[in-house]
Amino acid sequence: MAHLLKIQIPNDELHRRLGGGIPSGSIVLIEGERGTGKSIFSQRLAYGFLRNDISVSYVSTQLTTPEFINQMESLGYSVIPFLIKRKLLFVSLYPLLSSVSKREKFLPRFLSEERLWEKDVIIIDSLAPILPPKLNEDTLRKFTEHLKKLSALNKVIILTSSPNGIEPSALSVLEEISTMLIRLQVKVFGGDLKNSATIVKYNNAMGIFQKIIPFRVEPKAGFIVEIAAVV
């Protein structure tokens, strides 16, 4: 039976705006162009899970381990204690995805790495470099079946992607199987550029959620939800 995985941390409204947390068994797809805050959003979710005693695997295709630790520290989200306690497994794929030939053969190896999928929450930031450059229907089917299998085990899977990073047909399939679809944008509001997250789809929500969540990021304060709406 599904239950709510809490992401609440002190002085932060995101948990309430998302209906109190993320339902177990969710497949969350976070879409957005470069610079819209996909990684920051994912990092905030990861830290919220960890603070509520929920284990996390965080797979990064962009950051090395020291870079990830420094990034989280700069936001005020210290993850070293969780790494030491093994509540957090961080895996950097940056050096492994340097060539197209390696990417062609990478996905099956990635899916068979059992330790990545043992935690309560699995975050892949971002998805495009993990997928082969030419994604055929059979490969896509195996990938989506893997995600659904994890979902059936009440795990939460969070994927980030640029709209242009994956073939439109494949992205459409991922949007279809996702239970929660979040699109991030940067808009002009009150003369300033503001980040916003639009909840396009939220199946199995277990509380009242806000459809549009404006936010900003500040050093040492991290992810901050704005009070005013962005339209």
Side-chain angles (χ1 to χ4, degrees):
M1 183 175 179
H3 57 281
L4 199 62
L5 301 187
K6 294 184 178 180
I7 57 170
Q8 184 173 6
I9 62 176
N11 305 314
D12 189 302
E13 280 280 297
L14 184 62
H15 73 285
R16 188 175 66 82
R17 305 293 180 96
L18 288 178
I22 306 293
S24 62
S26 294
I27 300 175
V28 183
L29 179 60
I30 303 175
E31 293 181 4
E33 300 288 354
R34 183 180 180 88
T36 54
K38 298 185 297 296
S39 291
I40 295 296
F41 204 102
S42 301
Q43 290 158 9
R44 163 59 184 89
L45 292 176
Y47 186 68
F49 288 127
L50 292 167
R51 283 291 300 263
N52 287 274
D53 199 33
I54 297 163
S55 61
V56 176
S57 287
Y58 195 110
V59 179
S60 176
T61 60
Q62 301 169 337
L63 300 176
T64 63
T65 300
E67 288 171 341
F68 175 74
I69 292 172
N70 290 337
Q71 166 73 5
M72 296 296 276
E73 289 285 346
S74 73
L75 298 170
Y77 302 154
S78 179
V79 294
I80 292 176
F82 301 109
L83 288 167
I84 293 172
K85 295 176 183 177
R86 299 187 179 181
K87 294 294 289 186
L88 170 62
L89 172 66
F90 178 79
V91 179
S92 173
L93 300 182
Y94 178 75
L96 301 177
L97 300 172
S98 57
S99 70
V100 172
S101 60
K102 289 182 180 179
R103 284 182 57 191
E104 290 283 4
K105 303 174 183 178
F106 183 77
L107 187 61
R109 288 176 51 203
F110 179 70
L111 296 182
S112 65
E113 189 62 48
E114 293 183 3
R115 68 186 186 120
L116 294 177
W117 316 105
E118 292 174 348
K119 304 298 187 186
D120 302 315
V121 177
I122 300 96
I123 299 174
I124 302 176
D125 179 32
S126 65
L127 183 58
I130 292 175
L131 301 176
K134 295 181 180 179
L135 185 60
N136 59 48
E137 290 186 9
D138 184 58
T139 301
L140 180 60
R141 178 182 55 79
K142 289 179 180 178
F143 180 62
T144 56
E145 285 179 351
H146 185 78
L147 298 180
K148 288 183 177 182
K149 179 180 177 181
L150 294 170
S151 172
L153 295 173
N154 274 335
K155 296 181 183 293
V156 169
I157 307 97
I158 299 173
L159 313 169
T160 75
S161 177
S162 165
N164 300 319
I166 300 176
E167 296 177 6
S169 58
L171 184 61
S172 179
V173 171
L174 293 171
E175 290 177 346
E176 183 66 27
I177 69 163
S178 68
T179 57
M180 187 175 186
L181 175 58
I182 304 174
R183 289 202 178 109
L184 305 185
Q185 294 178 300
V186 177
K187 297 181 179 181
V188 178
F189 181 71
D192 296 322
L193 291 175
K194 299 287 187 181
N195 295 73
S196 69
T198 300
I199 313 300
V200 179
K201 177 170 68 170
Y202 195 169
N203 297 346
N204 307 320
M206 301 177 73
I208 298 173
F209 64 92
Q210 183 173 319
K211 189 170 179 61
I212 300 178
I213 304 172
F215 66 93
R216 69 182 189 275
V217 180
E218 293 186 1
K220 297 301 179 183
F223 187 101
I224 299 175
V225 175
E226 301 272 17
I227 297 175
V230 176
V231 295

